[in-house]
Every structure is written in structure tokens, then in C-alpha cells.
């Protein structure tokens, strides 16, 4: 078709859209709807209430495809690697979520994500499902020696792409599915979104988390000024969808009182119980309307149509404890003194979050500026917003784990570190961010940040330094319990060779593969990288305690013994005496000595130690 005829078709379609907008879906004609609109008596193919889009099945397949990736540590980029339980994982989040499934199953208390909103300008990661995972990984995670994704892995999802909503839903669907399994039974997820996709996200989350686990659609006032140049409305809010893993098990903390709320408490009469605020003695419902006479002789009755809130005995107690307020002149309508110490620690959260308590976009940019990262990242969230989510859903006493797998500039890590400092908590964070390249014309690139992941890591380092310098001289760091570090891990191909059954078309190829797999480990694999891959495969956390002694890595004291360098009689004896639950070692260490391998296996069996040779 030449350009001219295409325009003719386009024009016709535009005309049709003006008179029959309802027959279009993602800019294409839905033929069933067109027939129905033209009066034909048709039966819709899928007559049931559900969310569907072009590519849903493929997205589901992406979720089910096993990963061949792993995570390798990068100590140089980390802070306090050996003693921290915070994590920064650099990699594409679908793969990372798959890699984390076994080790973090049911362990996460709170998830916050701020995915691309689908504004028509966003870069979306393309999960090329049909592609072989190996090639996919090469393209997505290890394009060059530095492990950078190129723009090839991303595409701009423009509004006229034809599958604008579908593309976004296909990206979100598998990722949400994989996060649900990570949540604890009393866990909660908060997702930021705006009007571009809030309707679809609500349906999608109903499908993944169950409609019964919907908690709230919070409206967050992201801006404090009005855009007077807006054509229709000044868009001043975002949505935050909140779902529980199992709503019945989910309990929120009360929201700490704001400065504003505390302002209404005073102590004009110097009452020994401290600050109070006057509240009515009547209630809208009840049964008692009899008058009551106080010890100063004033008689009070509830106003018409209302009832007494308290019985005679309580009224007497309050009166004698000087807990009734008769105004400055002692003659006004009596009210109860509600003391700050008696009311609940905080207030029940509401679904409207004003910028005064939850921050705003401008404040978020200033926070980055204060860290010396001016103009380096567009559209961060304010720490106050994420702190509030944490205050409501996590606890300062229980080492809760918080994950953000669209972490951008790592505001979530910043908020967790700040909150721990404020309330002495021990919350842990896991940030996941792919090494999305910064545009070469951007401030970030000019300042030396090649990827968004680099920005995130640098922000965490600067926040840690800020906390340290702020407190210098105030308390002893050696004794401080706050975890001021993070371990960096990067998504890479497995250290083990992948068995390619799809390539075996001939006997020769089968033999070739068998030969290649005589030692299943990749030649260049480093001991430490293999160790972490084995931890993940065994369902152990990346922050497990690791102690190296005499050729054996001891995981979480005595849970697993991992032997990766050499295996001899001596090592066998140490393992048997220490009695770990499991021994993991490499086939190559037995150097084709089958007799020794069989003997070791029998001895481990006798000692009740599970042995895995890889
Ligand atoms: C809106 S930003 C998050 C901003 C963040 N809340 C903050 O305050 O800085 C979304 C981030 O998700 C990242 N992202 C998008 N798709 C991703 C994927 N498939 N894997 C990992 N990161 C991804 C983008 O690079 C971007 O930095």
C-alpha cells in the first residue's frame, strides 16, 4: 500500500470512529461490536466478566518459562557487604523475580512499586517470549561486558502503537503474579499509577490478588499548585492501589498524628495529665437524655436529638478528676477534656493522602538535589510517601523485608533507611532496577551515570553517608544497630551450562552436548558466584550467614556445608563430625574417582546428611 492509500483508509477509520467510537478497541475495529452496532443479532464470543487483551496468553507463558539466570555478587559496588542485609539487585525484574522465588517465597512484608505509568512516552521492557531465554538474557542483561541493556531491549509504548494498553498489561501481568508468591500471609502491596492505566490495573490486580483482597485506592495529592494552563482539569493526584496477600491477615498500624493534628491539643489549666482537647459530652445515638448536675452546680442536658455519651458514674469520676472543661470563664457548656495520653497512638489512615503528610513531586526533586544529584533523575517519589506506607504496614521490631522492583532512583531504600533511623527499626530493603541506559544528552549521563541502576546505587551510598555524618559525635557507630550498608548483586547467565534439548537433532549433536556437559560448570565461573547460585537454588536468602573455614563454606552456621575447591578424606571427616543438614559439592572435585564418590555418598547417608553433587 502506498502512503496515499493508507491515508485514505486512515481517514475513513477516523470518520467511522467519530460516529461509532464504541466499536474501536486499541485503535482497531472490533468486528463483533461493529456488527452489533449495525443491528446484527450477534452473540459475543466470550460472554463473561473478565479482563482480556492482545497477548495475554503469551504474557502468561512468560511467567511460566523457567529462568536460566542467576545473581552474582559485586563487593566493590556494595557498602559493608559482609554485615548488611539490604540488597540492590541490578537486572531486569521479571528474571530477577523468578530467580528470587525459592529463597524469598512468603517472606516479604511490604511491596511498593512505581512502574512506568504508560503515558505514551514510556520505555517498556519487551519480554520476547518466543525467543530462547539464553539469547534473551544476552540481549537483556549482558549486552556488553558491563552488563548493560541497550535500548534494543526497550521500546517506546506510544499511544498509537495499536496495542498500547495490551503492551503495558502484558508487561505488568507476569511480574505481579510473581510478586504475590513472595508476599507473607500478612503482606501488602502498594502500586503507584495514574489515570492512564488505573482502571486496567485495578482489574488486573483483582485477577492476580483476588477482588476480596482489595484494600483501598488511595488518592495521593502529588502537587500543591494548580496548573492554570491545563486544558480541562489540573491533574493533581496519583492513585495508589493497595492489596493484601490475604486481607483477613492484614493489620495496619495507626498513622502517626501530624503536626497539624497535634496543634489542637493544649493545656491551658496546667492539668497534671498533660495536653488535652475539648470534645462533646453528647453523642448522635444512645438512650440516656436525663440532665446531669456537676459539683459546681451547673446542670447540663444533651442537645435536642442527641444523647448522653457517658453514664452518671463516669460523669462523676471525670468531674472529680477535673476532666470537665467549663470554658475560660467557668460558665460555658461543659465539655470533656480528651487527653493526648489516653487517645490511641495515632489515627486511622484515610484514603486521601494530602501533600502535607505524604509529600509532593517538587519535594521529591529537592530531596535528590540535597544529596547533590540535581537533575539526575526525573519523576522520583518523595520519601514521605513511601515512609507513610511503611509506617502503616511494617514494624520497627520485626526485621520486615520491603521490596521495590521498579526502584529507579531508590527512594524506597532512602525512606527505609530514614525511617529505621527515626524509630530504631531494623527493616531490610531489596531494590531491583535494570541497567537502563541514561540518554546521552541527559544531565545524568553528563555527570557520569551511564545507567539508572548506577543512579540508584549512588543515591543509597549518599543517604548512608548522610546518616553517618549527621550522627557523628552523637553516638557510637560501632554500637549502633542500624544496618547502614547494602549488598549489590547482578543478574547474569547461570554458572552452569544449559542443556539444550531443543538443539539435539542428530546423534552427533547429542554426543557433543554430553561431552560439553561432562563438567556442567562454565569454565570461567568464579567460586563465589557458584556459591551464591547454589544458595539461591537451595532456597537460601542472599543475606544468609556464610563462614569459610578450612575449605568449607558453612551456611547459616550448620545448615549447609558447601565444598567447591577440593574434596578429600579430611574434608569428608570434618563434614561428618559437624553434621550439617546438607552437603553440596561439585562433581569435578572427585576427578573421575567414582569409588571415592560412592564411598563419600554412603558415609554421608549413614551420618544422616543429604548430599548433592552438581
Ligand atoms: C517510575 S520509575 C520509579 C521511580 C522510583 N519510584 C523513584 O522514586 O525513583 C520506574 C523505574 O522502573 C525501571 N524499570 C522499568 N521496567 C523495568 C524492568 N523490566 N526491570 C527493572 N526495572 C525496570 C525503569 O528503568 C525506571 O527507573
Amino acid at each position: 500500500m502506498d502512503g496515499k492509500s493508507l491515508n485514505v483508509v486512515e481517514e475513513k477509520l477516523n470518520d467511522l470512529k467519530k460516529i461509532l467510537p464504541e466499536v474501536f478497541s486499541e485503535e482497531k475495529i472490533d468486528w463483533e461490536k461493529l456488527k452489533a452496532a449495525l443491528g446484527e443479532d450477534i452473540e459475543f464470543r466470550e460472554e463473561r466478566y473478565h479482563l482480556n487483551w492482545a497477548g495475554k496468553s503469551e504474557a502468561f507463558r512468560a511467567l511460566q518459562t523457567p529462568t536460566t539466570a542467576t545473581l552474582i555478587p559485586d563487593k566493590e559496588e556494595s557498602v559493608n557487604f559482609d554485615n548488611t542485609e539490604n540488597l540492590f539487585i541490578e537486572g531486569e525484574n521479571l528474571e530477577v523475580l523468578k530467580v528470587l522465588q525459592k529463597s524469598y517465597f512468603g517472606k516479604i512484608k511490604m511491596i511498593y512499586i512505581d512502574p512506568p505509568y504508560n503515558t505514551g512516552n514510556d520505555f517498556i521492557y519487551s519480554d520476547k517470549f518466543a525467543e530462547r531465554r539464553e539469547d534473551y538474557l544476552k540481549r537483556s542483561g549482558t549486552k556488553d561486558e558491563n552488563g548493560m541493556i541497550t535500548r534494543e531491549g526497550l521500546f517506546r509504548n506510544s499511544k498509537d502503537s495499536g496495542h498500547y494498553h495490551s503492551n503495558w498489561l502484558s508487561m505488568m501481568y507476569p511480574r505481579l503474579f510473581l510478586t504475590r508468591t513472595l508476599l507473607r500471609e500478612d503482606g501488602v502491596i502498594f502500586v503507584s499509577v495514574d489515570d492512564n492505566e488505573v482502571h486496567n490495573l485495578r482489574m488486573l490486580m483483582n485477577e492476580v490478588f483476588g477482588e476480596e483482597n482489595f484494600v483501598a485506592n488511595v488518592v495521593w495529592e502529588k502537587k500543591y499548585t494548580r496548573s492554570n494552563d491545563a486544558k480541562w482539569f489540573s491533574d493533581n493526584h496519583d492513585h495508589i492501589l493497595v492489596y493484601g496477600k490475604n486481607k483477613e491477615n492484614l493489620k495496619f498500624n495507626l498513622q502517626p498524628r501530624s503536626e497539624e493534628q497535634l496543634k489542637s491539643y493544649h493545656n491551658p489549666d496546667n492539668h497534671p495529665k498533660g495536653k488535652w482537647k475539648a470534645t462533646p459530652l453528647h453523642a448522635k445515638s444512645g438512650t440516656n437524655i436525663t440532665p446531669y448536675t456537676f459539683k459546681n452546680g451547673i446542670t447540663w442536658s444533651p442537645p435536642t436529638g442527641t444523647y448522653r455519651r457517658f453514664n452518671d458514674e463516669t460523669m462523676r469520676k471525670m468531674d472529680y478528676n477535673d476532666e470537665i472543661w467549663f470554658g475560660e470563664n467557668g460558665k460555658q457548656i461543659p465539655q470533656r477534656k480528651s487527653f493526648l495520653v489516653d487517645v490511641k497512638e495515632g489515627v486511622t489512615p484515610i484514603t486521601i493522602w494530602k501533600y502535607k503528610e505524604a509529600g509532593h513531586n517538587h519535594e521529591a526533586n529537592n530531596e535528590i538535589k540535597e544529596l547533590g544529584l540535581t537533575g539526575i533523575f526525573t519523576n522520583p517519589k518523595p520519601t514521605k510517601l513511601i515512609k507513610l506506607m511503611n509506617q502503616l504496614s511494617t514494624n520497627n521490631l520485626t526485621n520486615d523485608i520491603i521490596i521495590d522492583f521498579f526502584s529507579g532512583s531508590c527512594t524506597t531504600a532512602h525512606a527505609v533507611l530514614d525511617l529505621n533511623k527515626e524509630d530504631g527499626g531494623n527493616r531490610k530493603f531489596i531494590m531491583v532496577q535494570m541497567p537502563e541506559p541514561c540518554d546521552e544528552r541527559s544531565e545524568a549521563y553528563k555527570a557520569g551515570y551511564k545507567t539508572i541502576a548506577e543512579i540508584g546505587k549512588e543515591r543509597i551510598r549518599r543517604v548512608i553517608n548522610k546518616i553517618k555524618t549527621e550522627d557523628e559525635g552523637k553516638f557510637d557507630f560501632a554500637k549502633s544497630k542500624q544496618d547502614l550498608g547494602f549488598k549489590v548483586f547482578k543478574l547474569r547467565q547461570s554458572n552452569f551450562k544449559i542443556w539444550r534439548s531443543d538443539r539435539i537433532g542428530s546423534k552427533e549433536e547429542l554426543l557433543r552436548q554430553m561431552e560439553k556437559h561432562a563438567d556442567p560448570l562454565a569454565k570461567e565461573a568464579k567460586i563465589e558466584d557458584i556459591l551464591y547460585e547454589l544458595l539461591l537454588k537451595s532456597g537460601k536468602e542472599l543475606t544468609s550467614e556464610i563462614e569459610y573455614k578450612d575449605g568449607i563454606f558453612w551456611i547459616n552456621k550448620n545448615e549447609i556445608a558447601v565444598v567447591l575447591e577440593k574434596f578429600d578424606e579430611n574434608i569428608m571427616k570434618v563434614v561428618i563430625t559437624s553434621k550439617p543438614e546438607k552437603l553440596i559439592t561439585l562433581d569435578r572435585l572427585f576427578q573421575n574417582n567414582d569409588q571415592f564418590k560412592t564411598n563419600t555418598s554412603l558415609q554421608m547417608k549413614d551420618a544422616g546428611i543429604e548430599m548433592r553433587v552438581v
Side-chain angles (χ1 to χ4, degrees):
M1 220 187 271
D2 63 26
K4 204 169 160 204
S5 53
L6 184 76
N7 282 342
V8 173
V9 174
E10 246 175 43
E11 261 170 46
K12 281 185 185 162
L13 283 172
N14 282 338
D15 287 345
L16 186 62
K17 206 169 171 193
K18 276 183 207 143
I19 44 172
L20 290 173
E22 72 274 23
V23 307
F24 284 82
S25 169
E26 293 194 309
E27 307 301 317
K28 290 203 181 82
I29 295 180
D30 180 330
W31 296 104
E32 273 185 356
K33 283 196 196 149
L34 180 63
K35 280 186 194 164
L38 296 177
E40 209 170 294
D41 184 18
I42 72 146
E43 283 220 353
F44 286 102
R45 259 175 297 150
E46 288 203 73
E47 211 172 75
R48 67 191 166 92
Y49 177 74
H50 74 303
L51 176 66
N52 213 350
W53 67 89
K56 186 174 183 179
S57 317
E58 265 187 314
F60 197 74
R61 232 170 282 140
L63 151 78
Q64 290 175 320
T65 316
T67 178
T68 56
T70 190
L71 300 175
I72 60 159
D74 188 325
K75 290 194 172 175
E76 265 179 31
E77 294 196 0
S78 308
V79 174
N80 198 8
F81 187 95
D82 291 333
N83 296 312
T84 181
E85 292 181 277
N86 296 318
L87 295 172
F88 179 96
I89 302 175
E90 185 169 311
E92 196 287 306
N93 57 18
L94 182 63
E95 291 299 308
V96 173
L97 287 169
K98 286 182 184 175
V99 173
L100 296 181
Q101 284 299 299
K102 202 167 174 190
S103 302
Y104 289 87
F105 181 88
K107 290 189 180 158
I108 307 295
K109 176 65 175 113
M110 191 274 228
I111 297 173
Y112 169 61
I113 53 166
D114 177 17
Y117 282 3
N118 214 19
T119 56
N121 240 337
D122 295 326
F123 281 104
I124 302 251
Y125 192 73
S126 127
D127 300 318
K128 286 212 171 163
F129 318 121
E131 191 176 14
R132 285 198 318 266
R133 304 310 283 175
E134 221 176 294
D135 299 339
Y136 163 92
L137 261 174
K138 221 183 256 164
R139 181 174 58 79
S140 67
T142 53
K143 174 71 191 175
D144 61 25
E145 322 81 68
N146 301 319
M148 299 237 308
I149 286 183
T150 61
R151 291 258 162 182
E152 272 171 66
L154 301 161
F155 66 95
R156 197 186 286 275
N157 194 26
S158 79
K159 287 202 173 172
D160 43 33
S161 80
H163 281 146
Y164 161 67
H165 291 294
S166 294
N167 287 338
W168 190 83
L169 283 164
S170 286
M171 188 274 290
M172 290 300 287
Y173 188 49
R175 289 163 178 84
L176 285 175
F177 241 104
L178 291 173
T179 40
R180 191 181 165 273
T181 50
L182 296 182
L183 275 179
R184 262 164 48 177
E185 277 308 301
D186 63 348
V188 60
I189 177 166
F190 296 83
V191 185
S192 278
V193 68
D194 74 1
D195 285 321
N196 282 295
E197 293 296 344
V198 63
H199 52 299
N200 284 327
L201 183 66
R202 178 89 182 259
M203 294 274 284
L204 189 70
M205 292 188 75
N206 277 351
E207 181 171 330
V208 176
F209 290 87
E211 200 170 346
E212 65 284 7
N213 290 313
F214 168 77
V215 178
N217 176 2
V218 172
V219 168
W220 167 51
E221 191 182 18
K222 65 181 171 185
K223 254 167 61 171
Y224 60 90
T225 49
R226 192 181 294 261
S227 302
N228 284 316
D229 55 351
K231 193 165 174 191
W232 295 289
F233 283 84
S234 170
D235 179 19
N236 278 35
H237 74 277
D238 271 1
H239 301 264
I240 300 167
L241 296 189
V242 189
Y243 281 75
K245 164 84 176 274
N246 180 347
K247 194 165 125 189
E248 291 315 309
N249 296 329
L250 176 63
K251 253 178 82 186
F252 281 125
N253 305 317
L254 293 169
Q255 182 174 349
R257 274 167 209 279
S258 63
E259 293 289 317
E260 200 78 3
Q261 286 155 346
L262 289 173
K263 266 191 208 151
S264 51
Y265 287 82
H266 302 278
N267 193 0
D269 57 346
N270 253 333
H271 197 283
K273 277 181 81 175
K275 288 187 177 180
W276 54 268
K277 120 174 150 181
T279 55
L281 288 168
H282 63 267
K284 276 193 203 145
S285 56
T287 48
N288 190 352
I289 51 164
T290 51
Y292 183 86
T293 303
F294 294 97
K295 67 179 171 19
N296 62 4
I298 291 181
T299 298
W300 168 83
S301 304
T304 320
T306 69
Y307 304 86
R308 272 173 53 173
R309 193 178 282 268
F310 306 103
N311 62 22
D312 280 0
E313 200 191 328
T314 314
M315 291 287 254
R316 207 171 303 121
K317 248 196 222 156
M318 292 196 293
D319 196 12
Y320 278 85
N321 288 337
D322 202 13
E323 291 179 9
I324 301 293
W325 177 243
F326 296 93
E328 293 286 350
N329 59 8
K331 289 179 191 160
Q332 282 170 6
I333 296 170
Q335 283 185 293
R336 175 193 183 207
K337 295 177 189 170
S338 293
F339 291 92
L340 194 53
V341 289
D342 291 339
V343 288
K344 293 189 284 188
E345 284 284 288
V347 288
T348 305
I350 61 170
T351 49
I352 299 176
W353 292 4
K354 302 276 195 151
Y355 69 81
K356 280 198 178 150
E357 56 197 0
H360 49 76
N361 282 340
H362 190 63
E363 181 176 315
N365 285 320
N366 281 342
E367 284 176 326
I368 292 220
K369 227 191 243 179
E370 275 167 29
L371 291 169
L373 296 168
T374 313
I376 296 294
F377 189 80
T378 40
N379 299 327
K381 291 286 182 280
T383 49
K384 257 193 204 163
L385 177 73
I386 306 177
K387 245 195 233 176
L388 178 54
M389 295 173 200
N390 269 296
Q391 278 164 331
L392 295 177
S393 64
T394 65
N395 196 313
N396 64 343
L397 301 173
T398 47
N399 297 1
D400 292 335
I401 308 178
I402 293 119
I403 187 166
D404 177 346
F405 55 91
F406 285 97
S407 65
S409 70
C410 289
T411 310
T412 303
H414 188 164
V416 169
L417 288 165
D418 272 2
L419 189 60
N420 280 346
K421 188 192 162 198
E422 275 167 37
D423 68 6
N426 211 5
R427 300 168 186 86
K428 314 288 175 198
F429 63 75
I430 304 178
M431 299 294 104
V432 182
Q433 170 61 44
M434 66 180 171
E436 179 179 338
C438 297
D439 193 307
E440 292 188 11
R441 288 157 302 175
S442 67
E443 288 300 315
Y445 192 87
K446 286 180 204 152
Y449 301 101
K450 291 212 182 72
T451 68
I452 295 180
E454 283 180 18
I455 299 173
K457 284 177 279 187
E458 183 56 20
R459 180 174 185 181
I460 307 177
R461 286 187 206 108
R462 290 188 185 206
V463 172
I464 289 176
N465 281 340
K466 186 165 171 258
I467 295 180
K468 282 185 181 167
T469 41
E470 272 169 2
D471 284 323
E472 229 156 7
K474 286 196 201 144
F475 67 90
D476 185 352
F477 261 100
K479 286 189 194 142
S480 152
K481 277 199 277 170
Q482 180 164 11
D483 183 347
L484 289 173
F486 66 107
K487 294 187 210 283
V488 174
F489 282 86
K490 292 183 176 170
L491 186 74
R492 289 289 183 272
Q493 276 277 28
S494 167
N495 294 292
F496 294 89
K497 294 171 193 160
I498 317 289
W499 180 259
R500 303 301 308 262
S501 52
D502 57 327
R503 283 194 190 159
I504 302 173
S506 63
K507 209 166 129 194
E508 291 72 37
E509 181 55 32
L510 176 65
L511 286 173
R512 222 180 59 77
Q513 288 250 358
M514 282 174 74
E515 207 171 292
K516 194 173 146 206
H517 281 260
D519 181 359
L521 269 171
K523 240 197 222 130
E524 65 282 10
K526 293 196 200 116
I527 293 293
E528 196 159 53
D529 298 350
I530 303 171
L531 177 68
Y532 276 102
E533 179 159 2
L534 291 172
L535 280 195
L536 286 167
K537 287 196 155 69
S538 311
K540 296 288 165 206
E541 292 172 27
L542 289 165
T543 53
S544 301
E545 192 189 314
I546 302 172
E547 199 192 343
Y548 181 73
K549 227 166 99 191
D550 304 327
I552 306 172
F553 292 96
W554 296 99
I555 312 302
N556 293 336
K557 306 248 174 318
N558 210 17
E559 277 179 24
I560 308 183
V562 186
V563 181
L564 302 175
E565 290 147 318
K566 68 167 188 184
F567 202 100
D568 56 20
E569 291 280 347
N570 206 18
I571 288 205
M572 182 165 73
K573 270 189 214 142
V574 178
V575 172
I576 287 175
T577 340
S578 310
K579 272 199 182 301
E581 288 163 27
K582 201 184 205 177
L583 161 72
I584 307 179
T585 188
L586 305 178
D587 193 54
R588 60 152 91 132
L589 302 186
F590 292 96
Q591 293 168 346
N592 293 331
N593 185 343
D594 284 345
Q595 200 186 343
F596 179 44
K597 190 164 127 192
T598 313
N599 183 24
T600 311
S601 161
L602 287 173
Q603 295 220 33
M604 292 297 157
K605 200 171 171 200
D606 284 351
I609 301 166
E610 183 191 335
M611 176 167 155
R612 235 188 98 204
V613 182
V614 289

